[in-house]
Amino acid sequence: MNSLLLGTSKFAVSSLRSNRAAPATRLVAARCFSSGDDVSSGDDQVKTGIIKYFSYKTQFGFILPDGVDRKSHDDSDLIFIHRNDIKAQQNADGEKFYPGLKRNQRVAFKVSPPDKEGAKCAKAYDLTMADGELVPAFQKGYFERYIKTQKAQFGDRVFQIMSTCTDQQDMETQIVSAFDQVKENIEKQRAKMERAGMAPDEPAEEK
């Protein structure tokens, strides 16, 4: 683990010296706009569909229900889903794990009217996998992606420190502190996955 993070530190330093910065990437969610159309009241009927979009950052997304054309549809045809409305897994100690979703994942859900005035999309709740199983607390490859995100944030932090700090000793102290914070974050996430009964899928160490 240390070799992975130290490698990132070296990369951050070399990036600073070459005076190059990578462009940021953003995900933009589709929005449902008010049109004055009526939305039917919710019921307990279970519907199915696929995930059209879901953001771990914003913790919401949209479902394309079965029967709706994948290529030709309006925003009003989509169903809004928030992470809190996914049926959560729970361990023996009562700790709940609210999962995320991924594009094209088949799911089953119930539908209620929009919970905000003027919203056009209905809202999903009690969401599970299409076969009724609970959505995995962590998707395959999650831990690897989490480590990569932490490494990238560490590199950004090192860049910031080296760009603003003028004292060599203070600079080294801050970099070590940032490094220790990343290690702590990763270990906390590993422990959380293990409490959920899942084995973290670490990437192979870089050489």
Side-chain angles (χ1 to χ4, degrees):
M1 183 71 71
N2 287 359
S3 62
L4 285 174
L5 297 175
L6 287 173
T8 305
S9 178
K10 292 177 182 178
F11 172 77
V13 173
S14 64
S15 297
L16 176 62
R17 290 173 179 168
S18 62
N19 195 31
R20 286 165 36 178
T25 302
R26 283 194 309 177
L27 285 175
V28 180
R31 297 291 181 182
C32 296
F33 298 99
S34 172
S35 68
D37 294 343
D38 291 331
V39 179
S40 60
S41 299
D43 54 42
D44 289 332
Q45 182 180 357
V46 176
K47 303 179 185 298
T48 54
I50 62 169
I51 300 300
K52 180 180 176 68
Y53 168 88
F54 188 85
S55 169
Y56 279 88
K57 184 176 181 180
T58 60
Q59 298 190 0
F60 71 80
F62 296 92
I63 304 167
L64 185 66
D66 288 346
V68 176
D69 192 291
R70 293 194 181 193
K71 295 182 179 180
S72 178
H73 58 266
D74 297 326
D75 287 344
S76 59
D77 295 323
L78 304 177
I79 308 294
F80 177 85
I81 179 64
H82 190 277
R83 191 180 188 185
N84 291 343
D85 292 312
I86 303 171
K87 278 192 174 181
Q89 293 195 21
Q90 184 171 320
N91 64 15
D93 295 326
E95 182 179 8
K96 289 186 176 181
F97 302 91
Y98 290 94
L101 300 164
K102 60 183 179 180
R103 187 179 177 86
N104 292 327
Q105 196 170 30
R106 285 200 57 77
V107 294
F109 54 93
K110 297 177 182 178
V111 179
S112 65
D115 59 357
K116 292 184 179 180
E117 184 178 354
K120 191 175 180 182
C121 287
K123 181 181 178 182
Y125 67 100
D126 282 354
L127 184 142
T128 65
M129 301 297 289
D131 60 4
E133 294 291 324
L134 294 179
V135 179
F138 300 92
Q139 300 291 339
K140 183 178 180 180
Y142 169 81
F143 192 59
E144 180 177 355
R145 293 192 298 272
Y146 182 82
I147 290 177
K148 287 180 178 179
T149 299
Q150 288 294 310
K151 288 168 66 177
Q153 292 176 353
F154 173 64
D156 290 343
R157 178 58 179 152
V158 170
F159 186 94
Q160 180 185 30
I161 292 170
M162 296 187 71
S163 298
T164 58
C165 195
T166 56
D167 182 79
Q168 181 68 28
Q169 184 174 353
D170 184 40
M171 180 188 300
E172 293 176 358
T173 299
Q174 290 190 49
I175 291 175
V176 170
S177 177
F179 177 79
D180 290 341
Q181 183 62 57
V182 169
K183 288 199 301 181
E184 181 180 343
N185 291 344
I186 291 173
E187 290 308 312
K188 282 183 177 179
Q189 203 65 18
R190 183 203 305 276
K192 184 176 181 180
M193 292 186 71
E194 290 174 346
R195 292 197 305 274
M198 302 188 70
D201 49 347
E202 280 192 78
E205 290 198 4
E206 300 171 358
K207 296 182 179 179

